[in-house]
Amino acid sequence: MLPACSDDEDGAAASVRGATTSGVGASGVMMRAKQGTAELQITRVQPGGTKPSNVEPNTWTVFVYLCGSDLESSDGDATEDLGEMVGASGSENVRFVVETGGAKKWANKNMHAKQLQRFLIQDGSIQEVASLDSANMGETNTLADFLTWGVKNYPADHMGVILWNHGGGSISGVCFDERNNDDSLVLRELDDAMATAYQTMWDKFEFVGFDACLMGTLETANVLASYARYLYGSEEMESGTGWEYSSIMEHLAQNPTCTGAELGKVVCDAYLDSITYKEDRDIATFSVIDLSHTDELLRAFNRFSQELYEASEDAGTLATMVRGIGLIDNFGGNNRSEGYTNMVDLGSMVEACAEAAPSAGEVLDALHAAVVHHQEGPTHTKAQGLSVYYPLQIEDANELAVFEQVCVSPYYLSFVDRQAHAATSQDGTGYEDYDGDTWFDETGWWEWLFSDDEAGESATSAQADGYWDYVDEHSGESTVITFDKEPQFDKDGIYGFKLSRDGLSNAASVSALVYQYSEDESDFLLLGETYDVEGSWKTGKFKDMFDGYWLSLPDGQNLSITLAETADDYVVYTAPIELNGKDTNLRIRQYLKDDSVEVEGAWDGIDQNGSSSRGITKIKKGDVIVPLYESYGVEDDAQGYYEGDAYKVGKTLTIDYDYPPEGTYDYSFCIYDVFGDCYQTDSVEFQIDKDGEISYFL
């Protein structure tokens, strides 16, 4: 360890805790925060090595941790990127040092699935320099060993790290190893690996970049600020082709004195320019983050979070904030069909809560100072460069246990914890008597959270004693939505309701669910969600405005649609389908000016391990599509999945937007509360006749 002292920006003395060399339980950052004050004192670890005398100025080594996974075994994407590295015009002063593994098979003869291999790529040539027994690339020690070995054997004046693979955001991390049950490096493991390698270094990495989805997050920036000057990453999923590596090699060869900010701009712009599929380009984002501004951003965010937490004691204010956050830009699906990452745009979230939090402007100023370059496609024009975890829909207790380990503010964790507690209380009053003392301690914020457990593994006190288990104990059915007028038909035959004062305070959004009968009428099939509901958040009155139109395949089969994205001039729906025998989701864009519809393609979404699929698959002539539906037994409410009929795509796939087939359907309101749970009203039946006319059974 190399202890040191420095003064933070607020003038408070800060002692640095050195990281252990084992890489277990280490942390490059320590935070201190006491309840009643929003000041966050931050200290960071220093490098522990000495610069070798033979390191030449203006030399570069970029370490590439290439975890191939299904991106390689199915599509050969890693092999393609290796070809870009080798084929670039380089120089003797620039080299890629690559470790390969994590794939069940490789699309070239140089890499072998049952080994970890290390390659030197320099000036147009590739050479294998080491071969090791296979190891899990989703484990701390595998990355730590590679970086420690690399820094020792290939030191340079400037060094960078690229993590290549799938990403899942702040909770599920990066580098999912296909040979090891898709185990990934979560941020705590990434922190430990970096801390171990840092003991051999004399300076920070110039950059750490993620050629992976969803890793441009505030939590990632906090971890890496101890070890690197810049973070390169995307808030959203990446296209399947990923970065353009020849541009990196060639820029460094021609501009060896460039900074991490200058290189990051090249990486960003070349990546977006290389995306050929319009739908991938539309959703693309990329940011270059100056990590020297991270601590300023964290302090501002902690002050903001204290104001957020205190304001959330009032149910009406909390509801207003939650509704606002529900409308902002988010990344990685976040819907019932494609799964949830719970990553939202940081700047947009701060703006949505600005009325309740006076420090919002300080956070935005610090954020904009940190984001030195960013690009977004037309889907994400409001994205501001970094995302942050927010529980749009909590999967289970383990998700919050992981979040606890990476959350950057005790007040923000208390804000999230309060909402989760309220969701599990029978009457929703958990937010009023919630006690946030759990997340404050005299010894500090992160320092006490990460003590080693009896097994010698890093664990938080709350995780160890099962603190978050309460999340798994509630049904997910809201108990806090109440009415002045229960759902009913008015004198004009319009179906609607009026929320009570408390119900309005607890409500976040109102939509409706539509069902149809299966052919044998034994099951209800969920056709999906419609937002054709008109209402007022002042009066609490809402009514059905459903016009009967629905999206369907050319053969007339309705699709089970969920709203995936909204923009000023279009919306994107997603529907579960089977495409050529594989479960995925069909993405459909509808333009609001004329209701015209176009097919974007298919996206697999977020898998059970939290890994985001990369890129959207085009639908081609001859593809076979089977629509899928959630089903509910008419007699016993038994849940399952129902498969429609196979449809073979002709020259192009067109989606109809018209009245569904003649028949009987069910309709119910779905009212989401501010804690993420849904209150679903009793359903009513309606009939669609051959002319598309809707009539309810009153």
Side-chain angles (χ1 to χ4, degrees):
M1 293 185 292
L2 182 66
C5 293
S6 64
D7 290 335
D8 67 15
E9 291 180 359
D10 295 329
S15 61
V16 172
R17 181 180 62 173
T20 63
T21 56
S22 68
V24 177
S27 175
V29 61
M30 182 182 74
M31 298 183 181
R32 293 183 181 276
K34 296 181 180 180
Q35 193 166 28
T37 174
E39 292 309 310
L40 199 66
Q41 298 181 37
I42 304 169
T43 57
R44 296 193 178 274
V45 70
Q46 300 296 308
T50 303
K51 185 175 183 178
S53 58
N54 62 343
V55 172
E56 297 293 332
N58 301 326
T59 52
W60 281 83
T61 299
V62 179
F63 301 105
V64 185
Y65 194 64
L66 197 70
C67 182
S69 72
D70 63 316
L71 294 171
E72 173 62 20
S73 61
S74 298
D75 301 314
D77 289 338
T79 292
E80 182 177 338
D81 283 348
L82 286 164
E84 290 178 0
M85 297 177 202
V86 176
S89 300
S91 76
E92 293 183 356
N93 293 327
V94 181
R95 56 197 173 199
F96 286 111
V97 175
V98 184
E99 178 159 286
T100 61
K104 291 181 179 179
K105 64 178 182 179
W106 288 80
N108 67 79
K109 297 180 180 180
N110 293 320
M111 285 78 192
H112 307 291
K114 295 183 179 180
Q115 293 177 314
L116 282 182
Q117 294 170 271
R118 292 169 177 171
F119 296 88
L120 172 64
I121 299 175
Q122 190 171 22
D123 203 16
S125 67
I126 181 170
Q127 175 188 358
E128 184 176 0
V129 293
S131 178
L132 296 82
D133 292 338
S134 180
N136 183 356
M137 295 189 80
E139 285 189 351
T140 297
N141 288 340
T142 309
L143 175 60
D145 289 347
F146 170 57
L147 293 179
T148 302
W149 168 86
V151 169
K152 178 181 178 181
N153 289 279
Y154 298 97
D157 196 17
H158 307 283
M159 296 184 289
V161 178
I162 298 172
L163 296 150
W164 191 105
N165 185 247
H166 290 290
S170 296
I171 301 301
S172 53
V174 68
C175 292
F176 295 77
D177 189 310
E178 184 183 42
R179 290 177 51 80
N180 290 278
N181 298 314
D182 289 318
D183 185 29
S184 66
L185 285 166
V186 296
L187 291 183
R188 288 301 307 173
E189 292 175 307
L190 178 60
D191 184 14
D192 289 348
M194 289 286 176
T196 299
Y198 210 43
Q199 296 311 296
T200 66
M201 298 179 64
W202 56 94
D203 195 6
K204 292 183 175 183
F205 290 112
E206 188 65 21
F207 72 89
V208 175
F210 295 87
D211 192 350
C213 301
L214 297 159
M215 297 308 296
T217 82
L218 177 64
E219 294 85 1
T220 305
N222 176 46
V223 165
L224 294 181
S226 295
Y227 315 113
R229 292 188 176 88
Y230 294 91
L231 160 65
Y232 306 161
S234 171
E235 291 185 80
E236 184 56 283
M237 67 179 183
E238 280 197 356
S239 69
T241 55
W243 292 10
E244 212 287 303
Y245 284 89
S246 59
S247 64
I248 300 174
M249 173 71 83
E250 290 170 0
H251 182 81
L252 290 177
Q254 297 167 15
N255 304 276
T257 62
C258 75
T259 65
E262 293 165 346
L263 177 62
K265 185 178 186 304
V266 172
V267 174
C268 171
D269 297 350
Y271 160 61
L272 269 78
D273 288 345
S274 70
I275 301 174
T276 56
Y277 190 23
K278 175 181 179 296
E279 282 69 24
D280 283 341
R281 179 64 177 81
D282 284 350
I283 66 169
T285 69
F286 200 93
S287 303
V288 180
I289 310 301
D290 183 345
L291 294 173
S292 68
H293 292 279
T294 303
D295 292 354
E296 175 189 357
L297 176 57
L298 296 181
R299 292 189 184 98
F301 183 75
N302 190 59
R303 291 190 288 270
F304 165 83
S305 296
Q306 182 186 23
E307 295 161 355
L308 212 64
Y309 172 64
E310 292 171 350
S312 67
E313 294 177 3
D314 177 77
T317 302
L318 175 61
T320 300
M321 291 190 295
V322 171
R323 287 181 205 133
I325 296 172
L327 296 173
I328 67 171
D329 211 353
N330 63 75
F331 311 98
N334 294 314
N335 58 70
R336 63 188 298 154
S337 179
E338 297 172 334
Y340 286 83
T341 64
N342 289 322
M343 301 309 303
V344 305
D345 185 63
L346 171 60
S348 300
M349 186 190 79
V350 171
E351 290 172 343
C353 301
E355 253 186 66
S359 293
E362 298 174 28
V363 181
L364 293 173
D365 288 345
L367 172 64
H368 298 154
V371 181
V372 295
H373 184 71
H374 64 112
Q375 276 207 53
E376 295 82 29
T379 298
H380 293 301
T381 55
K382 296 180 181 178
Q384 299 182 42
L386 278 176
S387 62
V388 66
Y389 176 85
Y390 176 81
L392 296 166
Q393 187 68 251
I394 299 171
E395 180 72 21
D396 53 28
N398 183 65
E399 178 177 327
L400 290 184
V402 174
F403 176 58
E404 172 200 338
Q405 298 182 51
V406 298
C407 183
V408 298
S409 162
Y411 285 109
Y412 189 61
L413 186 54
S414 298
F415 175 67
V416 170
D417 191 19
R418 169 183 270 153
Q419 290 187 61
H421 264 101
T424 62
S425 65
Q426 292 300 310
D427 58 2
T429 58
Y431 66 88
E432 294 175 345
D433 53 15
Y434 171 75
D435 183 2
D437 286 349
T438 300
W439 308 115
F440 297 86
D441 187 273
E442 288 297 319
T443 59
W445 166 225
W446 270 19
E447 182 179 37
W448 71 274
L449 284 177
F450 303 111
S451 58
D452 289 352
D453 64 15
E454 292 181 0
E457 296 181 353
S458 178
T460 69
S461 57
Q463 183 183 26
D465 66 13
Y467 176 86
W468 297 105
D469 289 350
Y470 74 85
V471 174
D472 292 336
E473 295 169 1
H474 82 294
S475 66
E477 298 175 359
S478 178
T479 59
V480 299
I481 300 300
T482 53
F483 302 88
D484 278 346
K485 289 185 179 180
E486 297 280 345
Q488 57 190 273
F489 292 96
D490 65 16
K491 61 181 180 179
D492 298 318
I494 297 176
Y495 192 50
F497 61 86
K498 182 180 180 182
L499 292 169
S500 69
R501 182 176 178 180
D502 287 343
L504 185 60
S505 292
N506 288 320
S509 67
V510 180
S511 58
L513 298 175
V514 179
Y515 299 83
Q516 74 176 96
Y517 287 101
S518 60
E519 286 188 14
D520 61 5
E521 297 190 352
S522 63
D523 294 291
F524 291 112
L525 307 183
L526 177 63
L527 289 188
E529 201 165 9
T530 173
Y531 285 84
D532 290 341
V533 177
E534 183 180 280
S536 168
W537 290 107
K538 290 184 178 180
T539 65
K541 293 181 179 180
F542 294 85
K543 61 182 180 180
D544 159 43
M545 296 295 289
F546 180 51
D547 60 8
Y549 280 80
W550 208 258
L551 296 168
S552 63
L553 294 172
D555 63 358
Q557 293 186 91
N558 296 317
L559 293 167
S560 181
I561 60 173
T562 299
L563 186 65
E565 297 173 10
T566 59
D568 293 336
D569 57 346
Y570 67 86
V571 295
V572 174
Y573 294 100
T574 181
I577 63 168
E578 188 180 89
L579 178 63
N580 302 325
K582 178 183 177 183
D583 287 355
T584 185
N585 304 280
L586 185 67
R587 284 198 149 216
I588 306 152
R589 181 178 299 204
Q590 183 175 31
Y591 293 93
L592 301 177
K593 63 179 180 180
D594 58 5
D595 287 332
S596 61
V597 177
E598 68 178 34
V599 176
E600 289 195 342
W603 184 53
D604 293 348
I606 309 300
D607 71 14
Q608 61 184 0
N609 300 299
S611 169
S612 172
S613 176
R614 283 176 66 160
I616 294 175
T617 302
K618 291 182 179 180
I619 304 297
K620 306 182 298 298
K621 180 181 179 180
D623 282 344
V624 177
I625 293 174
V626 177
L628 303 175
Y629 310 87
E630 292 180 34
S631 66
Y632 302 86
V634 172
E635 298 294 334
D636 57 8
D637 289 332
Q639 295 186 20
Y641 253 91
Y642 183 90
E643 293 185 359
D645 297 327
Y647 170 76
K648 188 173 183 179
V649 177
K651 185 176 181 181
T652 59
L653 175 62
T654 58
I655 298 297
D656 295 328
Y657 182 61
D658 207 338
Y659 294 113
E662 181 180 1
T664 302
Y665 299 80
D666 267 34
Y667 179 101
S668 64
F669 289 112
C670 182
I671 308 165
Y672 280 96
D673 66 27
V674 294
F675 314 115
D677 292 335
C678 175
Y679 181 94
Q680 186 172 341
T681 66
D682 292 338
S683 61
V684 294
E685 286 190 339
F686 67 92
Q687 183 84 28
I688 295 181
D689 65 20
K690 62 181 180 180
D691 298 319
E693 292 294 321
I694 298 176
S695 57
Y696 283 91
F697 294 98
L698 303 181

